[in-house]
Amino acid sequence: MLRVGVVGTGDISRIYLDNITKVFSDKLILKGVTNKTFSKAEKTAAEYNVKAYKTTDELLQSSDIDIILNLTPPKSHYEVALAALRAGKHVYNEKPVCTKREEAQELIKTANEKGIRIGSAPDTFLGAGLQTCRKLIDDGWIGKPAAATAFMMSHGIEHWHPSPHFFYKEGAGPMLDIGPYYLTALINLLGPITRVCGSAKMTYPVRTITNQFQYGQTIDVEIPTHITGVLDFACGTSAVIITSFDIHSHSLPFIEIYGSEGTMKLPDPNTFGGEILIKRFNEEKWSSIPLLKNYSENSRGLGLAEMAEAIEQGRPHRASFELAYHVLDVMHGIHDASASGKYYKLKSKCKRPEAM
């Protein structure tokens, strides 16, 4: 069992802490938390009956902690993870693993030198929905995959998120923030990607917040908010992905995979469950497929728990750094291809994760 210290007690932390202390308590022990605002750390620590550390450094230096769960904003992922690795702690980052390729390279170099591990969200691909899809593909229900589409389209998050500013700054945007769910799902199903091209644009340079917390404030947008990418997979499959904060309404699927013998509609890759539909070439109607795997509810922390088990067993963990870095390379590659007008050939490599 790994002893867990959490850096960052924002909105996403509650589901992690609940699952660590209830669902995955046979693999993980929550030992302490810290936050930039210490009073928030104290409140969370009291709720879960653990220690509140006054600073991140104090938590990283604690001998009571084996692994750091890094739930800070994306621009802090690298700094916190690097400090944790240097302190000899395993690290599990929220997505993306960090915001720049060179940061990721420094993280894995440090981890290898220390003989410790890095894992990264998203872990939704380990849930019942996408693991059932994985089994259906592996068992040949739609034949050989020929193509795929993936769509994450909304009109931004400033109408509901209490702190939406950073989503429109460097290191965020619809691709880096939401894209990891879709790309990780596709790589889990189809394997690694070899090259990409794309088109990225900023539609609205200023966004107006309409949530109840900061109503009427404006955000100066620094990043593209509508990105279209084309993905070529090593297996021969090609896919189109669109991530956008500029779309009011649409009727497109989350993900569809088109095979030689049929088509599969996948659930939202930002969830652990959801409905799966298959229509084979000789059928007139779609069939709903029951979930054949575990973890259909919100199981954030599953990747961390599986990583703890893998460390104990001396095997690779599934929500790996290599997978997360490949996703990061793909996302930046789409932006790079848009800027250059040329295909980007992936420099990163990863293996298709083992099925659960």
Side-chain angles (χ1 to χ4, degrees):
M1 296 176 67
L2 287 188
R3 299 169 295 175
V4 181
V6 179
V7 181
T9 58
D11 293 337
I12 194 64
S13 67
R14 176 166 292 278
I15 187 62
Y16 273 101
L17 297 176
D18 283 349
N19 287 339
I20 288 171
T21 54
K22 297 173 185 176
V23 181
F24 305 120
S25 59
D26 60 329
K27 298 179 178 65
L28 303 169
I29 304 173
L30 182 65
K31 298 295 289 186
V33 300
T34 188
N35 193 76
K36 190 175 181 179
T37 303
F38 182 57
S39 60
K40 292 183 178 180
E42 284 185 306
K43 182 179 179 181
T44 301
E47 185 175 352
Y48 291 93
N49 194 29
V50 296
K51 182 176 179 178
Y53 289 85
K54 292 183 178 179
T55 66
T56 299
D57 186 63
E58 182 186 2
L59 183 146
L60 298 184
Q61 299 304 321
S62 173
S63 59
D64 288 336
I65 291 172
D66 304 307
I67 188 167
I68 302 301
L69 174 58
N70 183 5
L71 302 181
T72 58
K75 290 190 73 172
S76 298
H77 286 182
Y78 164 72
E79 179 184 0
V80 171
L82 183 62
L85 293 171
R86 287 174 173 171
K89 311 296 186 186
H90 301 293
V91 175
Y92 187 90
N93 273 6
E94 242 302 323
K95 52 79 192 165
V97 64
C98 50
T99 61
K100 298 177 181 179
R101 295 184 183 101
E102 55 269 29
E103 293 176 345
Q105 292 163 3
E106 179 67 19
L107 290 179
I108 193 59
K109 177 184 176 183
T110 305
N112 287 339
E113 289 173 350
K114 294 282 189 177
I116 49 184
R117 301 205 193 189
I118 315 176
S120 179
D123 56 4
T124 46
F125 78 99
L126 299 175
L130 293 175
Q131 285 295 312
T132 298
C133 293
R134 167 70 177 262
K135 178 170 174 55
L136 292 169
I137 288 177
D138 290 351
D139 289 351
W141 278 57
I142 62 169
K144 182 179 179 180
T149 54
F151 302 102
M152 192 299 297
M153 300 196 293
S154 72
H155 205 264
I157 59 171
E158 61 273 19
H159 60 284
W160 63 269
H161 198 283
S163 303
H165 288 80
F166 83 86
F167 289 94
Y168 295 96
K169 304 301 181 181
E170 182 184 0
M175 181 57 79
L176 264 71
D177 185 62
I178 308 297
Y181 296 108
Y182 288 74
L183 291 167
T184 303
L186 288 171
I187 293 167
N188 170 58
L189 297 170
L190 302 173
I193 297 166
T194 56
R195 70 172 188 169
V196 300
C197 66
S199 177
K201 68 170 185 173
M202 179 197 302
T203 305
Y204 308 105
V206 178
R207 315 279 294 217
T208 300
I209 298 174
T210 56
N211 66 39
Q212 60 178 317
F213 308 99
Q214 299 168 331
Y215 187 89
Q217 294 184 28
T218 58
I219 304 171
D220 292 327
V221 179
E222 297 178 357
I223 41 82
T225 51
H226 186 95
I227 302 98
T228 303
V230 176
L231 317 172
D232 289 344
F233 290 81
C235 67
T237 306
S238 61
V240 173
I241 182 171
I242 298 178
T243 62
S244 180
F245 284 163
D246 300 337
I247 306 298
H248 281 289
S249 303
H250 70 91
S251 58
L252 294 167
F254 295 110
I255 299 176
E256 285 187 344
I257 298 180
Y258 314 103
S260 59
E261 297 184 26
T263 296
M264 180 163 61
K265 292 178 179 285
L266 282 68
D268 183 352
N270 193 4
T271 66
F272 288 80
E275 186 177 35
I276 302 166
L277 296 172
I278 281 185
K279 185 178 180 183
R280 289 173 55 80
F281 70 95
N282 57 349
E283 297 174 341
E284 294 183 2
K285 297 182 179 180
W286 293 90
S287 298
S288 181
I289 307 298
L291 300 182
L292 307 174
K293 300 288 184 175
N294 297 324
Y295 303 109
S296 61
E297 302 300 322
N298 190 342
S299 302
R300 277 173 170 77
L302 173 58
L304 175 63
E306 196 275 338
M307 179 176 168
E309 184 177 82
I311 291 171
E312 179 186 359
Q313 296 175 356
R315 61 168 175 81
H317 56 286
R318 290 174 171 85
S320 66
F321 173 86
E322 289 76 15
L323 175 58
Y325 177 49
H326 191 56
V327 168
L328 182 69
D329 195 17
V330 170
M331 295 190 295
H332 278 299
I334 293 171
H335 288 85
D336 293 346
S338 177
S340 68
K342 300 178 181 179
Y343 271 97
Y344 171 76
K345 292 185 179 180
L346 273 294
K347 297 178 176 60
S348 62
K349 295 181 180 180
C350 76
K351 293 181 179 179
R352 187 186 186 211
E354 292 291 330
M356 288 283 277

